[in-house]
Amino acid sequence: MHERARQFLEEFFRHLGDERRLSSNTLVHYRRDLVRCVAYCDGAGVDSWDKFATAEVRGWVAALHRQGLSGKSIQRALSALRTFYRYLLREQAVSRNPAAGVTAPRSPRRLPRTLTADQAARLVTLDAREPLMLRDRALLELLYSSGLRLSEAVNLDLAELDLGGGMVRVTGKGGKVRDVPVGAKARAALREWLTARHELAGAEQAAVFVARSGRRLGARAMQTRLRLWAARQGMEVPVHPHMLRHSFASHVLESSGDLRAVQELLGHANISTTQIYTHLDFQHLAKVYDKAHPRARRKTAP
């Protein structure tokens, strides 16, 4: 790629950060995907964005597929490329968007793994006394009680907690703000943590969850602490923060059957994203049916 083509890319990243105010995590994904595209263009002899035609885009998609990227990851990369070309069209640097209409190969949709209600209860029930343990118990209870994303828990500030009203205000993807209920056990755990929080954090620290140093607890540290407690609580499966979000959604849907409410609680822009939990719910119903119906049980082979 010529130097000017690379400059357009850097100007686009500044546009995403300064004008569109996208999160740093989203910017990392955009940069990674488009750097991959530049590498492909260099190998294919494409030196400017106006010479990157639809045939080359399809070649790039095929190359990503050969490298083992999933259909979902390739779709995300294509979305980044389309967004970049919309920016180039606005800047009158190109005359067409070659990624328009190009689709990613379909990949099988894997259902998210969830904990049972008993497993979730065992995980979050910690005998906590020290500040760090109180913090971890409050974090686990909140993740399961309210279905927060990891990034939402990391960025959560004290001003966004309303324990009296039983609510938490979180900022999700795309800067979308939503209010989510906080259950009684999570509220109790948070109150205990907040009474001990001053032992780690100064008065100027806004974050709800802080590290031993007093700084905001980061995503990697949260993941590490969750793995630690999962092992200590004797969980049978590997546990990560998003599994608690999946479990929250599955258990609420299983009890209520209200898909729209679960969509709002999770902060999903599209109901289609939430519908995956109906498959989880059906699997549960199917197991109950197989066990309960006298003519559904399979006979063992003689």
Side-chain angles (χ1 to χ4, degrees), residues 149-157 207-209 216-219 222:
R149 299 179 177 94
L150 178 61
S151 60
E152 293 168 351
V154 169
N155 294 319
L156 189 64
D157 287 341
V208 172
F209 298 108
R216 187 181 295 272
L217 191 65
M222 285 188 181

Side-chain angles (χ1 to χ4, degrees), residues 129-131 134 191-201:
R129 293 180 179 85
E130 299 175 357
L134 290 170
R191 285 193 177 99
E192 286 196 69
W193 156 236
L194 294 178
T195 61
R197 180 180 170 279
H198 70 277
E199 298 181 34
L200 301 179

